[in-house]
Structures are given as C-alpha cells and as structure tokens.
Amino acid sequence: MTPSVEALFLGHSVRKLEQMERMIQDRLPLFSPDSLWHKSGAEANSVGNLVLHLCGNVRYYIGHGLGGQPNVRDREAEFSSRSHGDLAGLLRATVGEAVAILAALPPARLTEAVPAGLTVPAGVTTVLELVYQIVGHFQQHTGQIIFAAKQL
C-alpha cells in the first residue's frame, strides 16, 4: 500500500529533524567553551545561543503547540545565555520529543488550523504549514552552525 502524501510529509519532516540534529551534534565538539558562546557582534548569535533557540522553538511549536506539553520557552534566555550544562543532551532530548510527537501525529491533523493561542509566523495557518516552517527554521540555523564550524 502506498503511503499517503500526509504520511510521507510527516516521515520526511521527522527524518530532516533527525538529520539536522546529527549534523549539529557532529560539530558541537569542535567548539571550545569560549568559541561556542562567542558572538561576532551585537546583533550576532553564538552557536550555543542558536542551539538554545532551536530547542526553544521546537519545544514551543511542536512540543507545546502540537503535543500539548507545557510551554517552557524563555525566548529571551535563548539569546542571552552564555553557558549551558549539556547542549548536546538538550538538543537530543528536544529532537527526540519532537520526533515522537510528529511520528504519532494523525495525518488528518495536517489540514487543521494552527492550535488557538499559539503565536505563529505570519502566513502560517495550518498544522502542515507550521511543521514545514519549523523544519525549515531548524535547517536554516543548522546551516549557520555548519558555517561557524567551518570558520574554526
């Protein structure tokens, strides 16, 4: 039996999150504690802050928005923190939770409206668009982390 387009989309989204997480995990050991939290300017983000931001973003939209988990996001801290005990563990746990939620998401939910009360990027109106946005956002910041690792 051929999988539905919805099931293919969810499976692809899961695989992309897992792939991007591995790419980040492979590069985190390349950074010293100083370089992990270094910002090249006032408007720049450190690699550590990008990882915290990705975790906060995924936990808010997928964990809280789609999975019904409590909202634990502190967006300001994602960008202002200068240390974290276990970034790799936080990233692993966050992606693991998101993957479990997406893998269990009924495909029919993709056409539903974004859950009420969830603050979403402009133009995002359905669950499918939300998942697409979050995976794309994760890929963009993964690219930034890969670029930063290449600069070392």
mmCIF file with all atom_site columns, all heavy atoms in Angstrom, residues 119-131:
data_model
loop_
_atom_site.group_PDB
_atom_site.id
_atom_site.type_symbol
_atom_site.label_atom_id
_atom_site.label_alt_id
_atom_site.label_comp_id
_atom_site.label_asym_id
_atom_site.label_entity_id
_atom_site.label_seq_id
_atom_site.pdbx_PDB_ins_code
_atom_site.Cartn_x
_atom_site.Cartn_y
_atom_site.Cartn_z
_atom_site.occupancy
_atom_site.B_iso_or_equiv
_atom_site.pdbx_formal_charge
_atom_site.auth_seq_id
_atom_site.auth_comp_id
_atom_site.auth_asym_id
_atom_site.auth_atom_id
_atom_site.pdbx_PDB_model_num
ATOM 1  N N   . THR A 1 119 ? 1.254  31.506 19.087 1.00 0.00 ? 119 THR A N   1
ATOM 2  C CA  . THR A 1 119 ? 1.770  32.626 18.299 1.00 0.00 ? 119 THR A CA  1
ATOM 3  C C   . THR A 1 119 ? 2.597  32.048 17.166 1.00 0.00 ? 119 THR A C   1
ATOM 4  O O   . THR A 1 119 ? 3.585  31.363 17.414 1.00 0.00 ? 119 THR A O   1
ATOM 5  C CB  . THR A 1 119 ? 2.641  33.537 19.183 1.00 0.00 ? 119 THR A CB  1
ATOM 6  O OG1 . THR A 1 119 ? 1.869  33.967 20.291 1.00 0.00 ? 119 THR A OG1 1
ATOM 7  C CG2 . THR A 1 119 ? 3.142  34.729 18.407 1.00 0.00 ? 119 THR A CG2 1
ATOM 8  N N   . VAL A 1 120 ? 2.179  32.307 15.924 1.00 0.00 ? 120 VAL A N   1
ATOM 9  C CA  . VAL A 1 120 ? 2.847  31.697 14.773 1.00 0.00 ? 120 VAL A CA  1
ATOM 10 C C   . VAL A 1 120 ? 3.363  32.764 13.813 1.00 0.00 ? 120 VAL A C   1
ATOM 11 O O   . VAL A 1 120 ? 2.881  33.888 13.809 1.00 0.00 ? 120 VAL A O   1
ATOM 12 C CB  . VAL A 1 120 ? 1.905  30.731 14.022 1.00 0.00 ? 120 VAL A CB  1
ATOM 13 C CG1 . VAL A 1 120 ? 1.513  29.558 14.889 1.00 0.00 ? 120 VAL A CG1 1
ATOM 14 C CG2 . VAL A 1 120 ? 0.682  31.444 13.501 1.00 0.00 ? 120 VAL A CG2 1
ATOM 15 N N   . PRO A 1 121 ? 4.356  32.390 13.000 1.00 0.00 ? 121 PRO A N   1
ATOM 16 C CA  . PRO A 1 121 ? 4.844  33.329 11.984 1.00 0.00 ? 121 PRO A CA  1
ATOM 17 C C   . PRO A 1 121 ? 3.721  33.735 11.031 1.00 0.00 ? 121 PRO A C   1
ATOM 18 O O   . PRO A 1 121 ? 2.794  32.958 10.777 1.00 0.00 ? 121 PRO A O   1
ATOM 19 C CB  . PRO A 1 121 ? 5.925  32.522 11.252 1.00 0.00 ? 121 PRO A CB  1
ATOM 20 C CG  . PRO A 1 121 ? 6.327  31.447 12.208 1.00 0.00 ? 121 PRO A CG  1
ATOM 21 C CD  . PRO A 1 121 ? 5.095  31.133 12.995 1.00 0.00 ? 121 PRO A CD  1
ATOM 22 N N   . ALA A 1 122 ? 3.823  34.920 10.485 1.00 0.00 ? 122 ALA A N   1
ATOM 23 C CA  . ALA A 1 122 ? 2.816  35.437 9.557  1.00 0.00 ? 122 ALA A CA  1
ATOM 24 C C   . ALA A 1 122 ? 2.604  34.466 8.404  1.00 0.00 ? 122 ALA A C   1
ATOM 25 O O   . ALA A 1 122 ? 3.557  33.918 7.855  1.00 0.00 ? 122 ALA A O   1
ATOM 26 C CB  . ALA A 1 122 ? 3.247  36.801 9.024  1.00 0.00 ? 122 ALA A CB  1
ATOM 27 N N   . GLY A 1 123 ? 1.350  34.254 8.063  1.00 0.00 ? 123 GLY A N   1
ATOM 28 C CA  . GLY A 1 123 ? 1.002  33.405 6.935  1.00 0.00 ? 123 GLY A CA  1
ATOM 29 C C   . GLY A 1 123 ? 0.826  31.939 7.266  1.00 0.00 ? 123 GLY A C   1
ATOM 30 O O   . GLY A 1 123 ? 0.341  31.178 6.444  1.00 0.00 ? 123 GLY A O   1
ATOM 31 N N   . VAL A 1 124 ? 1.235  31.518 8.444  1.00 0.00 ? 124 VAL A N   1
ATOM 32 C CA  . VAL A 1 124 ? 1.096  30.116 8.833  1.00 0.00 ? 124 VAL A CA  1
ATOM 33 C C   . VAL A 1 124 ? -0.297 29.923 9.425  1.00 0.00 ? 124 VAL A C   1
ATOM 34 O O   . VAL A 1 124 ? -0.630 30.522 10.451 1.00 0.00 ? 124 VAL A O   1
ATOM 35 C CB  . VAL A 1 124 ? 2.192  29.709 9.851  1.00 0.00 ? 124 VAL A CB  1
ATOM 36 C CG1 . VAL A 1 124 ? 1.948  28.311 10.388 1.00 0.00 ? 124 VAL A CG1 1
ATOM 37 C CG2 . VAL A 1 124 ? 3.568  29.811 9.212  1.00 0.00 ? 124 VAL A CG2 1
ATOM 38 N N   . THR A 1 125 ? -1.095 29.107 8.759  1.00 0.00 ? 125 THR A N   1
ATOM 39 C CA  . THR A 1 125 ? -2.473 28.924 9.222  1.00 0.00 ? 125 THR A CA  1
ATOM 40 C C   . THR A 1 125 ? -2.832 27.477 9.519  1.00 0.00 ? 125 THR A C   1
ATOM 41 O O   . THR A 1 125 ? -3.750 27.223 10.278 1.00 0.00 ? 125 THR A O   1
ATOM 42 C CB  . THR A 1 125 ? -3.482 29.462 8.184  1.00 0.00 ? 125 THR A CB  1
ATOM 43 O OG1 . THR A 1 125 ? -3.319 28.748 6.962  1.00 0.00 ? 125 THR A OG1 1
ATOM 44 C CG2 . THR A 1 125 ? -3.283 30.957 7.946  1.00 0.00 ? 125 THR A CG2 1
ATOM 45 N N   . THR A 1 126 ? -2.107 26.508 8.924  1.00 0.00 ? 126 THR A N   1
ATOM 46 C CA  . THR A 1 126 ? -2.429 25.100 9.151  1.00 0.00 ? 126 THR A CA  1
ATOM 47 C C   . THR A 1 126 ? -1.279 24.393 9.864  1.00 0.00 ? 126 THR A C   1
ATOM 48 O O   . THR A 1 126 ? -0.140 24.882 9.885  1.00 0.00 ? 126 THR A O   1
ATOM 49 C CB  . THR A 1 126 ? -2.695 24.359 7.826  1.00 0.00 ? 126 THR A CB  1
ATOM 50 O OG1 . THR A 1 126 ? -1.475 24.335 7.066  1.00 0.00 ? 126 THR A OG1 1
ATOM 51 C CG2 . THR A 1 126 ? -3.821 25.010 7.028  1.00 0.00 ? 126 THR A CG2 1
ATOM 52 N N   . VAL A 1 127 ? -1.578 23.241 10.401 1.00 0.00 ? 127 VAL A N   1
ATOM 53 C CA  . VAL A 1 127 ? -0.557 22.429 11.066 1.00 0.00 ? 127 VAL A CA  1
ATOM 54 C C   . VAL A 1 127 ? 0.537  22.039 10.072 1.00 0.00 ? 127 VAL A C   1
ATOM 55 O O   . VAL A 1 127 ? 1.723  22.062 10.411 1.00 0.00 ? 127 VAL A O   1
ATOM 56 C CB  . VAL A 1 127 ? -1.204 21.191 11.738 1.00 0.00 ? 127 VAL A CB  1
ATOM 57 C CG1 . VAL A 1 127 ? -0.150 20.215 12.226 1.00 0.00 ? 127 VAL A CG1 1
ATOM 58 C CG2 . VAL A 1 127 ? -2.110 21.633 12.895 1.00 0.00 ? 127 VAL A CG2 1
ATOM 59 N N   . LEU A 1 128 ? 0.156  21.719 8.831  1.00 0.00 ? 128 LEU A N   1
ATOM 60 C CA  . LEU A 1 128 ? 1.157  21.383 7.822  1.00 0.00 ? 128 LEU A CA  1
ATOM 61 C C   . LEU A 1 128 ? 2.126  22.543 7.619  1.00 0.00 ? 128 LEU A C   1
ATOM 62 O O   . LEU A 1 128 ? 3.344  22.345 7.615  1.00 0.00 ? 128 LEU A O   1
ATOM 63 C CB  . LEU A 1 128 ? 0.487  21.033 6.493  1.00 0.00 ? 128 LEU A CB  1
ATOM 64 C CG  . LEU A 1 128 ? 1.461  20.574 5.398  1.00 0.00 ? 128 LEU A CG  1
ATOM 65 C CD1 . LEU A 1 128 ? 0.837  19.458 4.569  1.00 0.00 ? 128 LEU A CD1 1
ATOM 66 C CD2 . LEU A 1 128 ? 1.897  21.715 4.513  1.00 0.00 ? 128 LEU A CD2 1
ATOM 67 N N   . GLU A 1 129 ? 1.617  23.744 7.484  1.00 0.00 ? 129 GLU A N   1
ATOM 68 C CA  . GLU A 1 129 ? 2.476  24.912 7.298  1.00 0.00 ? 129 GLU A CA  1
ATOM 69 C C   . GLU A 1 129 ? 3.366  25.133 8.518  1.00 0.00 ? 129 GLU A C   1
ATOM 70 O O   . GLU A 1 129 ? 4.533  25.527 8.381  1.00 0.00 ? 129 GLU A O   1
ATOM 71 C CB  . GLU A 1 129 ? 1.634  26.158 7.043  1.00 0.00 ? 129 GLU A CB  1
ATOM 72 C CG  . GLU A 1 129 ? 0.912  26.133 5.716  1.00 0.00 ? 129 GLU A CG  1
ATOM 73 C CD  . GLU A 1 129 ? -0.144 27.220 5.586  1.00 0.00 ? 129 GLU A CD  1
ATOM 74 O OE1 . GLU A 1 129 ? -0.720 27.651 6.615  1.00 0.00 ? 129 GLU A OE1 1
ATOM 75 O OE2 . GLU A 1 129 ? -0.400 27.632 4.455  1.00 0.00 ? 129 GLU A OE2 1
ATOM 76 N N   . LEU A 1 130 ? 2.840  24.870 9.692  1.00 0.00 ? 130 LEU A N   1
ATOM 77 C CA  . LEU A 1 130 ? 3.623  25.031 10.912 1.00 0.00 ? 130 LEU A CA  1
ATOM 78 C C   . LEU A 1 130 ? 4.789  24.045 10.945 1.00 0.00 ? 130 LEU A C   1
ATOM 79 O O   . LEU A 1 130 ? 5.932  24.424 11.229 1.00 0.00 ? 130 LEU A O   1
ATOM 80 C CB  . LEU A 1 130 ? 2.733  24.858 12.149 1.00 0.00 ? 130 LEU A CB  1
ATOM 81 C CG  . LEU A 1 130 ? 3.429  25.031 13.490 1.00 0.00 ? 130 LEU A CG  1
ATOM 82 C CD1 . LEU A 1 130 ? 3.941  26.457 13.649 1.00 0.00 ? 130 LEU A CD1 1
ATOM 83 C CD2 . LEU A 1 130 ? 2.481  24.676 14.628 1.00 0.00 ? 130 LEU A CD2 1
ATOM 84 N N   . VAL A 1 131 ? 4.528  22.786 10.644 1.00 0.00 ? 131 VAL A N   1
ATOM 85 C CA  . VAL A 1 131 ? 5.595  21.780 10.629 1.00 0.00 ? 131 VAL A CA  1
ATOM 86 C C   . VAL A 1 131 ? 6.642  22.156 9.582  1.00 0.00 ? 131 VAL A C   1
ATOM 87 O O   . VAL A 1 131 ? 7.845  22.108 9.848  1.00 0.00 ? 131 VAL A O   1
ATOM 88 C CB  . VAL A 1 131 ? 5.026  20.362 10.369 1.00 0.00 ? 131 VAL A CB  1
ATOM 89 C CG1 . VAL A 1 131 ? 6.147  19.348 10.157 1.00 0.00 ? 131 VAL A CG1 1
ATOM 90 C CG2 . VAL A 1 131 ? 4.116  19.934 11.521 1.00 0.00 ? 131 VAL A CG2 1
#
